[in-house]
Amino acid sequence: MATNEELILLNINGTDRLGVTATLTEILAQNNANILDIGQADIHNNLSLGILIQCDASTSGQILKELLFKSYELGVNIRFKPISAEDYTQWVGMQGRNRYIVTILGRKLTAKQIAGVSRIIAEQDMNIDDIKRLTGRIPLDENARTPKASVEFSVRGTPKDKEKMKADFLKLATELQVDISFQEDSMYRRMRRLICFDMDSTLIETEVIDELAIRAGVGDEVKAITESAMRGEIDFTESFRRRCALLKGLDVSVMQEIAENLPITEGADRLMRVLKKVGFKIAILSGGFTYFGNYLKQKFGIDYVYANELEVIDGKLTGRYLGEVVDGKRKAELLRLIAQVENVDIRQTVAVGDGANDLPMISIAGLGIAFHAKPKVKATAEQSISTIGLDGILYFLGYKDSYLNEHI
């Protein structure tokens, strides 16, 4: 920096009104000042504007004088702080450090949750650069309040202990009934193109095989095997074979009745509508049954369905299945295959599921999410959602309600 140049930080705050930023920056333009950094926020109609300028020392006094007079006319406060070349150089050097996004998601957000997340970030010697609200403004009337709230932190630095940081976030999330996502802020985060869902207990709020078993009069036996498999206590393929065998003799007409009454998971309709609008390819990779996957495919316009085919003879289930079982390993293989077919980098993929057999695909996806998952799955997955519906995924992807409500 030339010796005749000065660096000055301008902090402007007050009641927001049309033209404040335009008027003040016009003064800077008229005096040939350079803007090195700028940021603005509006909270409850209160403006907070910061501008770091570089100007000739011979004109700095005139610039500050004009800004003071104009800010008085506009009804805002302005403060000036000189910045040394050394401080600026050090600040510029920090901009190349790693960046992360921390997303907080819940039915509502409290000061305790924000404070807890902020403290964990500080303990890792990381700096919060920006905080923005992703969900709509919350009305005071609880009955009219949106049932979800999300805030996103932009964080800079390198964690001292990333595993401890994740563990601390998980502990805090459990204690305060909130979801916390910690993601690297890379270009892939903003370019997701393929999302793969488990079906049972993810897209729908039931396990279809349990529904079939109830109609067959073997509900308790099948449910016990299902829960054990989802907890990872027994091999999925073996559990699947045992459960199918118990369905022998069930009339195939039952499947249509179940399909027409599937309980769709909260937020699924909104999520699917947005994903299709922004160009995502959507797949169901399920250890359940193709019949029900195809029903959801038609309902939501899903692109791919891979699940298991039940054998039917003379209108009755035989207790056997056709082809290869879609287990955890197969789900991961299918995710990679679809990504190749769609020419999508694996880092641009999202995988969502609730059971142990979803962990292989969750672990290889660019964004893997355990949704209302079993404890083992939630502890293993990088990200999890337990407090709200499937449309919470939109906030992990960085979407804002203000944009979605306007364009979707």
Side-chain angles (χ1 to χ4, degrees), residues 10-292:
L10 315 176
N11 285 300
I12 301 105
N13 62 80
T15 302
D16 196 11
R17 56 187 291 186
L18 291 175
V20 172
T21 303
T23 301
L24 296 179
T25 53
E26 283 169 0
I27 293 174
L28 300 177
Q30 291 164 6
N31 288 277
N32 297 317
N34 294 323
I35 294 179
L36 302 179
D37 195 21
I38 187 168
Q40 179 172 315
D42 186 345
I43 301 176
H44 194 56
N45 204 38
N46 189 78
L47 172 71
S48 179
L49 171 64
I51 309 176
L52 178 60
I53 66 169
Q54 178 187 40
C55 62
D56 191 283
S58 64
T59 63
S60 62
Q62 180 64 27
I63 292 174
L64 302 188
K65 179 180 177 181
E66 291 183 30
L67 288 172
L68 278 171
F69 277 115
K70 186 56 67 175
S71 63
Y72 179 79
E73 291 178 8
L74 294 170
V76 296
N77 301 312
I78 186 166
R79 293 184 291 113
F80 308 106
K81 180 182 179 181
I83 303 295
S84 69
E86 292 77 12
D87 285 346
Y88 180 75
T89 301
Q90 182 181 17
W91 175 78
V92 169
M94 293 177 66
Q95 301 312 298
R97 300 176 70 188
N98 295 329
R99 291 183 178 274
Y100 296 89
I101 296 295
V102 179
T103 309
I104 309 175
L105 175 65
R107 293 292 178 186
K108 64 178 180 180
L109 294 183
T110 67
K112 184 177 289 187
Q113 294 163 349
I114 300 293
V117 169
S118 301
R119 175 54 54 195
I120 292 171
I121 292 170
E123 288 171 350
Q124 293 290 329
D125 291 342
M126 302 178 75
N127 186 68
I128 299 172
D129 282 346
D130 183 52
I131 302 175
K132 62 182 179 183
R133 176 176 43 80
L134 300 181
T135 45
R137 289 183 170 88
I138 299 172
L140 295 178
D141 181 2
E142 278 291 316
N143 294 323
R145 187 184 66 81
T146 177
K148 61 183 77 73
S150 183
V151 170
E152 180 182 280
F153 291 68
S154 178
V155 180
R156 175 167 35 87
T158 302
K160 292 190 301 182
D161 186 340
K162 185 181 288 188
E163 292 308 311
K164 182 180 185 304
M165 187 178 190
K166 291 179 179 178
D168 288 344
F169 278 150
L170 181 60
K171 182 174 182 291
L172 183 71
T174 301
E175 291 175 349
L176 301 184
Q177 296 182 317
V178 68
D179 295 316
I180 304 170
S181 168
F182 180 66
Q183 303 177 56
E184 183 179 352
D185 190 12
S186 69
M187 67 175 183
Y188 296 105
R189 177 179 175 269
R190 304 175 188 278
M191 297 171 60
R192 310 291 189 197
R193 289 295 176 266
L194 168 65
I195 186 165
C196 297
F197 292 96
D198 175 44
M199 180 171 64
D200 298 50
S201 296
T202 299
L203 282 177
I204 56 176
E205 295 179 329
T206 188
E207 296 284 334
V208 168
I209 199 165
D210 292 345
E211 298 294 330
L212 290 168
I214 291 170
R215 271 68 168 187
V218 291
D220 290 342
E221 297 98 308
V222 167
K223 186 174 182 180
I225 299 172
T226 299
E227 291 178 349
S228 182
M230 292 299 99
R231 292 193 297 266
E233 296 171 353
I234 57 177
D235 174 73
F236 180 82
T237 301
E238 173 60 20
S239 73
F240 185 74
R241 183 192 64 78
R242 288 164 53 187
R243 287 178 289 172
C244 283
L246 291 169
L247 301 179
K248 182 178 180 180
L250 185 64
D251 195 286
V252 72
S253 64
V254 171
M255 297 174 72
Q256 180 177 350
E257 181 265 323
I258 292 175
E260 292 174 349
N261 293 281
L262 287 175
I264 304 300
T265 299
E266 175 195 352
D269 292 276
R270 180 178 186 236
L271 174 63
M272 292 297 183
R273 187 168 65 251
V274 172
L275 293 177
K276 295 297 291 185
K277 185 75 173 181
V278 299
F280 266 79
K281 291 295 181 178
I282 306 172
I284 289 177
L285 307 181
S286 173
F289 302 117
T290 306
Y291 184 93
F292 304 98

Side-chain angles (χ1 to χ4, degrees), residues 196 236-237 284-287 305-308 323-338 357-361 364:
C196 297
F236 180 82
T237 301
I284 289 177
L285 307 181
S286 173
V305 172
Y306 289 94
N308 301 298
E324 183 181 359
V325 173
V326 179
D327 58 6
K329 179 182 177 182
R330 183 62 177 154
K331 287 186 179 187
E333 292 172 349
L334 288 166
L335 188 154
R336 290 188 186 277
L337 177 62
I338 297 170
N357 65 319
D358 297 311
L359 281 174
M361 72 170 181
I364 67 169

